[in-house]
């Protein structure tokens, strides 16, 4: 456990807790980017805060960590469906990889092939943040294999990352994504 200290308003002291937006921004100031973005995205997705109120509150912050909190507020998005997706997106954004969109729909004509956790349609690189909870059963494995193969047949490269990868080996995750993006951009240049 790591303790952090901050000035509280009289109202916060009387209530004995900080409000949702204040808590999100405190976490954005102090937590690593993947965790901070997961907290912010979850608050937006669950309706505990709005994008507008989060960005407005971040805009007036001053002091240590305020620029990081503003960056997190600008990246916060209610679309990711899990904290792991948000953490993966935060890891990439912090590394300057900005083209991935959350909950990206992949279509062939008018037919939906899949909705993926993060997609860069310009390069055809798709990212999945896979947790054992959602993928640890036989039926989920069968469904995921078919889905993955349908995406590959449609011309996409699909990269899958676990919680352990995103939080335990973030440099590897970023290097893999960068390498695949470079390879896809190089092969696109050869075909033009």
């Amino acid at each position: 456990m790591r303790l952090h200290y901050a000035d509280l308003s009289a109202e916060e002291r009387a209530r004995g807790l900080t409000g949702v937006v204040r808590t999100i921004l405190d976490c954005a100031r102090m937590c690593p980017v993947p965790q901070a973005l997961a907290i912010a995205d979850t608050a937006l997705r669950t309706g505990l805060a709005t994008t507008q109120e989060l960005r407005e509150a971040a805009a007036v912050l001053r002091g240590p960590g305020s620029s990081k909190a503003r960056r997190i507020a600008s990246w916060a998005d209610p679309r990711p469906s899990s904290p792991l997706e948000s953490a993966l997106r935060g890891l990439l954004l912090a590394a300057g990889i900005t083209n991935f969109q959350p909950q990206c729909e992949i279509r062939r004509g008018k037919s939906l092939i899949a909705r993926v956790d993060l997609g860069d349609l310009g390069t055809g690189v798709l990212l999945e943040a896979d947790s054992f909870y959602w993928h640890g059963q036989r039926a989920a494995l069968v469904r995921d294999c078919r889905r993955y193969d349908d995406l590959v047949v449609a011309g996409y490269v699909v990269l899958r990352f676990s919680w352990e990868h995103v939080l335990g080996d973030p440099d590897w995750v970023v290097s893999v994504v960068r390498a695949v993006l470079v390879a896809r951009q190089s092969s696109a240049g050869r075909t033009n």
Side-chain angles (χ1 to χ4, degrees):
M1 177 171 47
R2 209 185 287 169
L3 293 178
H4 296 276
Y5 296 92
D7 293 331
L8 299 175
S9 69
E11 180 183 330
E12 289 167 332
R13 283 192 303 276
R15 282 194 332 228
L17 57 104
T18 58
V20 172
V21 171
R22 163 73 190 263
T23 302
I24 296 166
L25 293 175
D26 284 350
C27 292
R29 284 179 187 251
M30 297 173 222
C31 294
V33 169
Q35 290 90 329
L37 191 58
I39 291 164
D41 285 356
T42 299
L44 297 181
R45 182 178 64 255
T46 59
L48 293 173
T50 67
T51 303
Q52 181 178 345
E53 65 187 351
L54 182 60
R55 290 181 181 164
E56 286 175 357
V60 298
L61 284 179
R62 299 293 174 263
S66 59
S67 63
K68 181 175 165 236
R70 282 190 290 279
R71 195 168 54 249
I72 296 296
S74 74
W75 291 339
D77 190 315
R79 292 178 291 171
S81 66
S82 76
L84 179 56
E85 290 175 37
S86 297
L88 176 57
R89 191 168 63 89
L91 180 65
L92 298 175
L93 289 167
I97 301 171
T98 61
N99 291 335
F100 286 94
Q101 296 302 310
Q103 292 300 305
C104 185
E105 289 189 348
I106 307 302
R107 297 186 172 277
R108 183 180 292 134
K110 292 185 179 188
S111 299
L112 179 68
I113 298 173
R115 179 174 287 119
V116 298
D117 296 338
L118 294 167
D120 179 352
L121 296 180
T123 61
V125 177
L126 309 176
L127 308 179
E128 294 283 34
D130 290 342
S131 68
F132 187 77
Y133 179 79
W134 291 108
H135 301 275
Q137 301 294 323
R138 173 67 54 194
L141 173 66
V142 171
R143 181 191 67 237
D144 288 346
C145 288
R146 178 179 293 272
R147 183 173 181 269
Y148 175 86
D149 292 344
D150 286 343
L151 290 166
V152 171
V153 166
Y156 294 93
V157 171
V158 182
L159 300 175
R160 299 172 71 184
F161 298 104
S162 70
W163 184 260
E164 290 80 4
H165 294 137
V166 173
L167 294 182
D169 203 353
D171 293 338
W172 175 78
V173 172
V174 170
S175 70
V176 167
V177 172
R178 277 199 173 119
V180 171
L181 289 172
V182 167
R184 290 292 282 200
Q185 290 164 345
S186 294
S187 67
R190 286 193 301 266
T191 60
N192 290 337

